[in-house]
Amino acid sequence: MKILAAADIHGSQFRMNILLKNIEKYSPDIVIICGDITQFGPGELAKNFLDQITVETLAVTGNIDSLDVKKGIDESKATGIEMKKVVKKDISFVGTNGIEIKQIEFLDNKKLIDKKTVLVTHVPPHGFQDKVFIGMHGGSKELRELVDKHKPRLVLCGHIHEDPGYVKDKSTVVVNCSMGKRGEGALIDIGEEISIKMLD
């Protein structure tokens, strides 16, 4: 499966146009949006952006998305996957915004994550592609505990604009696909192995 993943559009049609250009260029099977679709809303803008995408899309909200953005996702052509497990072509996708502790606890308690899962989150796990401009880690410690415990195959995230890229830790690959500063997202091929191309 070929995935085009991006985060941190922040209400910018310019960034949206870059995403649409890359969809046309790379013909992904699925698009994953890892939150901060808008700049504090509104939900209608999230719906407008997601409806511009021409292939199947999964999405979660981010910390800058207002509460009605979740409704905008649900009313769009995209599928909202926060606190849900969705299976596409035998690959399980599980979503969280990575901000709310209750969401992380829900995924843990319901045992929705295993070693074959693609975890879609806005905030990165602490210590993985989460360095802010002063070198400190801005990721979620609770999410890191979840990842360490359940060892998903792949984690897709954004939020930290300064640190797009990917890292492999044991059995988990973490990809920060933020468009917030200098990136255009990431192209990921999942087969027996995972290959990643950062777009810029």
Side-chain angles (χ1 to χ4, degrees), residues 131-150:
K131 284 188 179 176
V132 296
F133 65 96
I134 53 175
M136 294 176 64
H137 293 283
S140 164
K141 291 181 180 178
E142 294 81 6
L143 193 64
R144 173 65 184 269
E145 288 176 11
L146 185 77
V147 168
D148 286 347
K149 180 177 179 180
H150 296 287

Side-chain angles (χ1 to χ4, degrees), residues 172-193:
T172 300
V173 178
V174 179
V175 181
N176 179 335
C177 56
S178 178
M179 299 179 75
K181 206 159 194 174
R182 61 182 186 273
E184 293 186 4
L187 193 67
I188 301 117
D189 268 307
I190 301 182
E192 288 298 316
E193 301 292 328

Side-chain angles (χ1 to χ4, degrees), residues 54-92:
T54 55
V55 299
E56 188 166 15
T57 304
L58 306 179
V60 297
T61 61
N63 63 302
I64 300 297
D65 290 319
S66 56
L67 292 176
D68 61 338
V69 168
K70 191 171 186 304
K71 183 182 177 191
I73 294 171
D74 291 339
E75 292 177 350
S76 75
K77 295 189 299 185
T79 301
I81 62 167
E82 265 175 61
M83 297 194 292
K84 294 178 189 172
K85 177 179 180 178
V86 175
V87 179
K88 301 292 180 183
K89 295 188 177 180
D90 297 323
I91 296 175
S92 296

Side-chain angles (χ1 to χ4, degrees), residues 20-76:
L20 296 175
K21 173 201 74 174
N22 285 330
I23 290 168
E24 185 174 349
K25 181 175 180 180
Y26 296 108
S27 300
D29 298 303
I30 197 164
V31 171
I32 308 291
I33 305 296
C34 301
D36 279 1
I37 303 166
T38 69
Q39 189 70 13
F40 302 106
E44 292 84 1
L45 180 61
K47 180 183 185 304
N48 175 282
F49 278 2
L50 293 170
D51 283 346
Q52 292 177 45
I53 299 173
T54 55
V55 299
E56 188 166 15
T57 304
L58 306 179
V60 297
T61 61
N63 63 302
I64 300 297
D65 290 319
S66 56
L67 292 176
D68 61 338
V69 168
K70 191 171 186 304
K71 183 182 177 191
I73 294 171
D74 291 339
E75 292 177 350
S76 75

Side-chain angles (χ1 to χ4, degrees), residues 144-160:
R144 173 65 184 269
E145 288 176 11
L146 185 77
V147 168
D148 286 347
K149 180 177 179 180
H150 296 287
K151 300 176 175 58
R153 185 178 188 189
L154 176 65
V155 177
L156 301 175
C157 59
H159 184 57
I160 305 296

Side-chain angles (χ1 to χ4, degrees), residues 32-36 59-63 70 80-85 93-108 112-113 117-125 140 142-144 146-147 152 155-158:
I32 308 291
I33 305 296
C34 301
D36 279 1
V60 297
T61 61
N63 63 302
K70 191 171 186 304
I81 62 167
E82 265 175 61
M83 297 194 292
K84 294 178 189 172
K85 177 179 180 178
F93 295 87
V94 175
T96 174
N97 58 28
I99 305 153
E100 299 174 68
I101 305 303
K102 67 177 183 180
Q103 285 199 10
I104 296 169
E105 290 174 345
F106 177 86
L107 298 183
D108 187 20
L112 293 180
I113 301 169
T117 301
V118 176
L119 179 61
V120 178
T121 173
H122 178 59
V123 176
S140 164
E142 294 81 6
L143 193 64
R144 173 65 184 269
L146 185 77
V147 168
V155 177
L156 301 175
C157 59

